[in-house]
Amino acid sequence: MPEYFPEVSEPIQYAGPKSNKALAFKHYNPKKKILGKTMAEHLKFSVCYWHTFMSTGSDPFGPGTMLRTYNEPEDPMEQAKATMDAAFEFFSKLGVGYWCFHDHDIAPEGETLAESNRNIDAMVKLAKKHQRATGVKLLWGTSNLFSNRRFMAGAATNPSPEVYAYAASKVKKAIEVTKELGGAGYVFWGGREGYDTLLNTDMERELDHLGRFLGQAVEYKEKIGFKGQFYIEPKPKEPTKHQYDFDAAACHAFLQKYDLVDHFKLNIESNHATLAAHTFIHELEYAAANDMLGSVDANRGDLLIGWDTDQFPTDIRECTLAMYIILRAGGFKTGGLNFDAKVRRQSIDTVDLFHAHIGAMDAFARGLENAAKLLSSKKLEKFIQKRYAGWDKGLGAKIESGAMDFEALESYTLEHGEPKVQSGRQEMLENILNEYL
Amino acid sequence: MPEYFPEVSEPIQYAGPKSNKALAFKHYNPKKKILGKTMAEHLKFSVCYWHTFMSTGSDPFGPGTMLRTYNEPEDPMEQAKATMDAAFEFFSKLGVGYWCFHDHDIAPEGETLAESNRNIDAMVKLAKKHQRATGVKLLWGTSNLFSNRRFMAGAATNPSPEVYAYAASKVKKAIEVTKELGGAGYVFWGGREGYDTLLNTDMERELDHLGRFLGQAVEYKEKIGFKGQFYIEPKPKEPTKHQYDFDAAACHAFLQKYDLVDHFKLNIESNHATLAAHTFIHELEYAAANDMLGSVDANRGDLLIGWDTDQFPTDIRECTLAMYIILRAGGFKTGGLNFDAKVRRQSIDTVDLFHAHIGAMDAFARGLENAAKLLSSKKLEKFIQKRYAGWDKGLGAKIESGAMDFEALESYTLEHGEPKVQSGRQEMLENILNEYL
Amino acid sequence: MPEYFPEVSEPIQYAGPKSNKALAFKHYNPKKKILGKTMAEHLKFSVCYWHTFMSTGSDPFGPGTMLRTYNEPEDPMEQAKATMDAAFEFFSKLGVGYWCFHDHDIAPEGETLAESNRNIDAMVKLAKKHQRATGVKLLWGTSNLFSNRRFMAGAATNPSPEVYAYAASKVKKAIEVTKELGGAGYVFWGGREGYDTLLNTDMERELDHLGRFLGQAVEYKEKIGFKGQFYIEPKPKEPTKHQYDFDAAACHAFLQKYDLVDHFKLNIESNHATLAAHTFIHELEYAAANDMLGSVDANRGDLLIGWDTDQFPTDIRECTLAMYIILRAGGFKTGGLNFDAKVRRQSIDTVDLFHAHIGAMDAFARGLENAAKLLSSKKLEKFIQKRYAGWDKGLGAKIESGAMDFEALESYTLEHGEPKVQSGRQEMLENILNEYL
Amino acid sequence: MPEYFPEVSEPIQYAGPKSNKALAFKHYNPKKKILGKTMAEHLKFSVCYWHTFMSTGSDPFGPGTMLRTYNEPEDPMEQAKATMDAAFEFFSKLGVGYWCFHDHDIAPEGETLAESNRNIDAMVKLAKKHQRATGVKLLWGTSNLFSNRRFMAGAATNPSPEVYAYAASKVKKAIEVTKELGGAGYVFWGGREGYDTLLNTDMERELDHLGRFLGQAVEYKEKIGFKGQFYIEPKPKEPTKHQYDFDAAACHAFLQKYDLVDHFKLNIESNHATLAAHTFIHELEYAAANDMLGSVDANRGDLLIGWDTDQFPTDIRECTLAMYIILRAGGFKTGGLNFDAKVRRQSIDTVDLFHAHIGAMDAFARGLENAAKLLSSKKLEKFIQKRYAGWDKGLGAKIESGAMDFEALESYTLEHGEPKVQSGRQEMLENILNEYL
């Protein structure tokens, strides 16, 4: 088997913060224990197949810039196999425990559904072999329901029921192979489930179809005994003008309406959060507060740029706050940190893939360490506890218990007069956070 | 009684599109019948008390610029009375059928809740007299739970239960006087129900409190027999960094979670929609698709400006599409078009208030006429019907009826092969719309 | 020669606003005279080669959706010829007077610069033939300096002088063929002249190189006697994070610094303006106020979307204001209205290209008619004249003539006291504008 | 003299990074030497008078929340004096070397210009006394030309020449007192020098007036021998829809056009940069690259919020990159780091002012230390040097020297063929930066 990443001759090692080696972890020490678990167990890093191995730097203004040896075979299946060999070489050299894929990342689409499925089967067989050999596991699988021309107007929300049927067929297969590969979850990202213009759209009917589709997926999952977690991944727009899974709250509304809320959790992506005019941290917090926090697509956007830049996460403050919420919510169960991120178009060498992932893993390792210390200090939690202490007894407890109606509350106010107000201490709390960065 | 708007000596008249008179309606002809109802019945224009009579052009960089004679009395209650006299003079001269207010728009806040309530009572008495005299009705009332220092950290979501109690007392009173004035609805806008920083916030607990608060409001409403409609008004941010009622979908999620969905409809504001990264039209459509379309705060924002500019609506295309959705959904029941809009800081003369409202009313009158013609033509509806026709019989009907599971769908796809795709015809539809503008 | 647009059997005709024909102009009547010139002379519509004939609906989430018969030949030069035949068929059937192109829109890039240039020469020969046969003229030409991998880090601002040299060679050829085809102008759009990260960028040196490059282009233009106008097209970002030609003002600063201001005008694009946080109208006005208004890329963006959507213009208000500024500035000299716009990904039929262009041409025709009426009414101009009348005599005239220094101005103020202020009448002016829409 | 900040009994001390004291510097050690200068000399921290002492937490949705004892005196001049006593107590306790003010921050505006000037004179006398007593210096002064109703349509760009005259009178006085107080600079921020609507605006004439105004200010400065630096502070919008000093490039274009480029440098504000769709770092770099880097308004905005939030800087990465550019450009000459920032509306206690400033000073101290290390390491500089090395000799040097015209460049390309491209290594460089944070 050829070596696809010869510039990295052996697995990336932890070398500590003072190391001058670019191709080494300075903070991510997989076996280091933090709050009773290893870093690797906490962080559950995953490499995404699509950006890392399938994309070559094209953008709307130019084709790919990255020349990969695994793209050299002309036959699509040969290319797919070389790519998968490369992928597992990369996972091993990088030292991550998980990967994620879309059906047609790993296998080329055929002339017919049957051929496509045969291609998938062949590649899944190879993937199983590699998984066994390397110990790398599947964090989640998914089906690409947005690239092919047939999905241009959506998959489950397509005006044509034949496209709905085609999408169902693809998802059926993708759930099956995710099960086959021992995947811990399955993601629904509704890339074109939305609209480009309301002038040609029946929103209510489309939403009903989407509700039905996901309900059928749940039925099929249960029928075949797939135990992995289903996730919806919110994104507000791009490629469509407006996607139905706009943000965590929109997914929450949708899942409640179609009685699916017990069957799905959310896969929160940083850059999707900010495209929806939220912070990443807000979306995590909203998910946690509503028991919907499942998995994370770890990347970063550029807040001055209005499209999904899918950059590797490097912001220590953001990584710290994200890990703080995740730890506080009990850590990942089925999910993990999947790098849904791509190197920049000018980062044309394979070594850039290593720099990118190493930097991101170090950033989240720092985030984990900072968050664990901050959580252990209880500085923020105590502040919050004290701030809301009025609800734990007296008037607040009575209100929470349902003992005070509007008339009782008015009597209370008439008697007690103007409430005391307290500083929110935002700046002090920001300083405390900075101490941990 | 002094005259506050002497520059308009008699009610504004419809003068037709060819008129050269600035202070006349060119399109709004209140008695003109369209689709079986008069323009006035369709549009239900309302003037908001806060911007039109209480604001004087201040912005974060300077104090007010508008010198109003009704602001001259030094005694707060005298000023309030003069202002109300002016308001009803304005309503009458403009020829609108409705008004809206917050409790402390019409009455100054006192030293105590009891005094505040007495002030409100006195002003409500005057308002009733004016309503009788002019025939102007109350579209909705509300309570200001965001200006006073005590509400700086929220009202129902305040860390202090005493503030919750104060807010409840205010809402209780405001519902009572809305009932007293025959108001057709009551609006909850959660101006500071959100957070400035998550570092000091317990989001889950705050949401629970907000759910309880609105539930208690429903109980009280039912207890006193107020038959008006309750509305939530979504807004994503401003004044807080993040408000819980971010957009229609967030309200929908919240109302479902707290089992309030049958008791509330939405009051959709154009400028709030765009601050939430949606179009106004999207929010109306989402509300309509989920049976939550209640009332409208008609204004416009500036999409290149990131705050709520609350400008008067003038965009004929937007007004047409809004009225198209409203007509298609059966028109307003309890709600109407409230101009939650303010004249610019440099528009310092009272005549500018007339120009602004006349322009907005003409814009929506054109919108109504255009929408009625477009709806009658059925051009968009037929296109949509045809686009989704596959769902009305055959495969589509079977899917909708629940007769096809994933396995059946896969069999169908294997047998039938690649679906046909059709042009979305967006540009043609945009041209059709333009024909009606 | 095969027919590529059989769905349109003869040139699109003006059918008037009451026509029900979708494939007819309802407002654009090319021979109608307005303010002494025909509509065609005023508007100078141009079709862009790249979007209309080279793009097939791909986006970052999926490949092309549009199957064109002129793309069927496998040989690149045969395909290029079929495409050009189709293009001129389209120009003729649509009835536009102008076209625009990049070098490698019309001719495939070869293995070497020499081969590329031979390809261009062959295609230019064909283009000349078509121009003669149809009377369609070249509004402007340009060179694509952003798609090829070699330009990934910029062309004139590339860290490698060899890339600078390559770019110079391409521009040299493109200016030559623009001259050959009788082009009225030549556009520089610095698609990757900017940076992705400042961490690897020497901004000062890159700007110096860009200044030199454009200076050399001016020298070469003069050497070969090309009389067309040079334009810079501002755009703030995309594909890069930050482009040096951010907006009209940034170009103005740059051209002054490198002493190029007499040799360039601006090609203002609507969607680029809004991506830079300006209105299209602002950019036109800034250009006009600084004698830099050259040509227009007429499209529209979606202000809720952060990338260049390049949609066809349909907003009558925007078209009216744009034509108002253009007419007031004396109309186009060398420039025109080039539709740098593309049909949506779902608009897959060739007839959609007609719908799109017809709608845009009608929108600008309405804009022209509205603007001409508004200008003739002098309503806005008189208002402005009166608002600034204080500068035409007395104190204002003295200040403008330089007769008042700070000390004299202070004496004046001490003597005359508080200035009178006047309403800006924004709402009234907006109503006046609406009367003309 | 009463003590206004009793919660801080003595000057804030440096206590080191391990201290648990909230009211201590953990990183800012004023006397610590870095690259040959003390931290205090490098950073030149300044407190702004307006936010810190004049604002009380009001926002567009509610009045002030902060009750300050220095605001208790009812007489405006007594209040102004108490406020100034408080301000210098604060400067001393905080340990900053500089302050900044607008004329009517320190002195109330009178009924007439003469009275206003007398008020200013009285307060300047007190300020001089305090400056002498504390050693605190004036970084820059300015005049408020945007709050008073008379300036609602601009100051130098007002349609009324009388307002221009009034503004000139105010600036004249403000320059005089800045000189009197030994100010190192004077700032022009054109808060309303722009437009709310182009419908009533003569942009060209307004720009000419602004050019003249600044030219007259230069003349007056020279006449009275004020040696301080003049700065323009770019801001794109807010309060107006569009301000002429939009960003650094717009100021650069303007200053060149009116031949003022030698007399002004820029005062770059972080939050203004991001409102203009640039990064803070971009604006600093642009200023440095064009020799216009003067002073800094150090704050941060919220990139998800569209208005100027003026928050205290806390982002270590941003502070590091800012100090990196400033150090590389030779450090501050006349300018410094002025905290144009305000505590949040809920931060109602005076101690919050200390938390806020301490956090910001620590953040910039960390930024300075990081930047100094990064600069000393030369890691970024060497990378850039190597990346552009092709320009230092051979082809590149010939191009820079002017020895290669387009024809020579074409010959070179024909001969040498395809240029080699190199990875931009963005991810590796981001990792290097992170090592220093």
Side-chain angles (χ1 to χ4, degrees), chain B residues 28-174:
Chain B
Y28 179 57
N29 187 353
K31 298 191 177 156
K32 180 172 177 183
K33 287 256 179 137
I34 300 209
L35 301 180
K37 286 201 291 190
T38 65
M39 276 196 165
E41 288 163 345
H42 275 294
L43 295 166
K44 296 176 71 184
F45 289 129
S46 162
V47 170
C48 82
Y49 210 92
W50 51 100
H51 284 316
T52 302
F53 306 109
M54 301 306 290
S55 84
T56 55
S58 68
D59 71 15
F61 296 83
T65 53
M66 301 161 190
L67 313 173
R68 305 298 195 215
T69 53
Y70 45 86
N71 286 336
E72 289 171 3
E74 295 207 357
D75 175 74
M77 281 299 287
E78 288 312 305
Q79 196 182 106
K81 284 175 191 164
T83 302
M84 188 169 280
D85 292 343
F88 278 86
E89 181 190 332
F90 184 79
F91 302 152
S92 297
K93 286 186 169 173
L94 183 62
V96 288
Y98 297 89
W99 68 300
C100 293
F101 73 98
H102 298 85
D103 46 6
H104 291 304
D105 297 336
I106 61 168
E109 197 156 4
E111 289 290 304
T112 63
L113 179 64
E115 187 188 335
S116 294
N117 286 350
R118 283 193 299 274
N119 290 349
I120 292 172
D121 288 335
M123 293 308 302
V124 165
K125 205 170 149 190
L126 180 59
K128 276 184 85 166
K129 205 184 98 190
H130 275 304
Q131 286 194 167
R132 266 196 309 271
T134 58
V136 175
K137 290 175 190 157
L138 180 61
L139 189 67
W140 46 261
T142 189
S143 175
N144 178 329
L145 303 177
F146 47 89
S147 293
N148 190 291
R149 183 176 185 262
R150 83 177 69 89
F151 297 122
M152 69 180 192
T157 65
N158 200 289
S160 159
E162 300 209 325
V163 176
Y164 179 106
Y166 209 110
S169 311
K170 287 197 70 192
V171 170
K172 175 177 175 293
K173 181 72 182 176

Side-chain angles (χ1 to χ4, degrees), chain D residues 214-356:
Chain D
L214 295 183
Q216 290 181 305
V218 170
E219 282 168 28
Y220 187 67
K221 170 198 175 181
E222 290 174 349
K223 179 164 186 180
I224 66 169
F226 173 52
K227 304 291 183 202
Q229 175 67 49
F230 272 5
Y231 307 105
I232 291 190
E233 179 172 326
K235 187 178 183 187
K237 55 188 166 187
E238 198 194 13
T240 69
K241 170 170 176 53
H242 199 287
Q243 286 167 218
Y244 295 129
D245 301 329
F246 191 85
D247 58 7
C251 293
H252 190 203
F254 172 84
L255 290 171
Q256 289 179 91
K257 182 176 176 190
Y258 294 100
D259 207 15
L260 294 164
V261 82
D262 295 337
H263 299 288
F264 287 83
K265 293 202 180 296
L266 299 178
N267 183 41
I268 300 292
E269 175 170 330
S270 174
N271 203 158
H272 294 180
T274 55
L275 285 171
H278 301 295
T279 59
F280 176 34
I281 304 310
H282 169 84
E283 288 288 88
L284 290 173
E285 184 82 39
Y286 184 92
N290 289 287
D291 194 23
M292 300 175 76
L293 182 49
S295 198
V296 168
D297 266 13
N299 58 22
R300 80 173 200 270
D302 182 319
L303 291 191
L304 294 169
I305 283 183
W307 62 91
D308 202 7
T309 64
D310 275 344
Q311 293 176 257
F312 280 86
T314 55
D315 185 323
I316 310 302
R317 188 179 194 276
E318 194 93 333
C319 294
T320 301
L321 286 170
M323 290 312 303
Y324 184 83
I325 294 173
I326 291 164
L327 289 178
R328 216 188 48 201
F332 289 120
K333 273 89 186 184
T334 53
L337 289 167
N338 175 51
F339 294 120
D340 189 359
K342 63 187 181 207
V343 291
R344 301 302 87 195
R345 191 173 184 262
Q346 294 187 47
S347 301
I348 54 177
D349 299 336
T350 46
V351 74
D352 291 310
L353 294 173
F354 284 94
H355 287 305

Side-chain angles (χ1 to χ4, degrees), chain C residues 150 162 195 200 205-206 209 216 223 257 282 290 387-388 392 400 404 407 412 418, chain D residues 150 162 172 195 200 205-206 209 216 223 257 282 290 387-388 392 400 404 407 412 418:
Chain C
R150 82 178 71 89
E162 299 208 326
Y195 58 83
N200 67 14
R205 202 167 194 181
E206 291 202 357
H209 295 165
Q216 289 180 305
K223 178 165 187 180
K257 183 177 175 189
H282 169 84
N290 290 287
R387 192 171 182 237
Y388 294 83
D392 297 328
E400 287 199 349
M404 303 282 285
E407 283 159 312
Y412 181 93
E418 195 60 35
Chain D
R150 84 177 70 88
E162 300 208 324
K172 174 177 175 292
Y195 58 81
N200 68 14
R205 201 166 195 181
E206 292 201 357
H209 294 165
Q216 290 181 305
K223 179 164 186 180
K257 182 176 176 190
H282 169 84
N290 289 287
R387 191 171 185 235
Y388 293 83
D392 296 328
E400 286 200 349
M404 303 281 286
E407 283 159 315
Y412 181 94
E418 195 62 34

Side-chain angles (χ1 to χ4, degrees), chain C residues 177-202:
Chain C
V177 303
T178 298
K179 176 170 183 277
E180 174 78 11
L181 289 167
Y186 184 92
V187 164
F188 292 84
W189 172 58
R192 299 197 199 263
E193 312 291 23
Y195 58 83
D196 285 327
T197 175
L198 282 170
L199 294 179
N200 67 14
T201 302
D202 184 337

Side-chain angles (χ1 to χ4, degrees), chain B residues 141-217:
Chain B
T142 189
S143 175
N144 178 329
L145 303 177
F146 47 89
S147 293
N148 190 291
R149 183 176 185 262
R150 83 177 69 89
F151 297 122
M152 69 180 192
T157 65
N158 200 289
S160 159
E162 300 209 325
V163 176
Y164 179 106
Y166 209 110
S169 311
K170 287 197 70 192
V171 170
K172 175 177 175 293
K173 181 72 182 176
I175 295 174
E176 290 164 7
V177 303
T178 297
K179 176 169 183 276
E180 174 78 11
L181 289 168
Y186 184 92
V187 165
F188 291 83
W189 172 59
R192 297 197 198 264
E193 312 290 22
Y195 59 81
D196 285 327
T197 175
L198 282 169
L199 295 179
N200 67 14
T201 302
D202 184 336
M203 189 196 281
E204 190 174 353
R205 201 166 195 180
E206 291 202 357
L207 284 168
D208 285 347
H209 294 166
L210 186 59
R212 174 168 300 279
F213 190 91
L214 295 183
Q216 289 181 305

Side-chain angles (χ1 to χ4, degrees), chain C residues 23 31 50 157 161 163 171 175 221 260 262 274 292 295 305 313 315 336 352 373 394 411 413 425:
Chain C
L23 293 171
K31 297 192 177 154
W50 49 101
T157 65
V163 177
V171 170
I175 295 173
K221 169 196 175 182
L260 294 165
D262 294 336
T274 55
M292 300 175 75
S295 198
I305 284 182
D315 185 322
D352 292 309
K373 281 182 201 153
S411 301
T413 303
R425 288 279 184 275

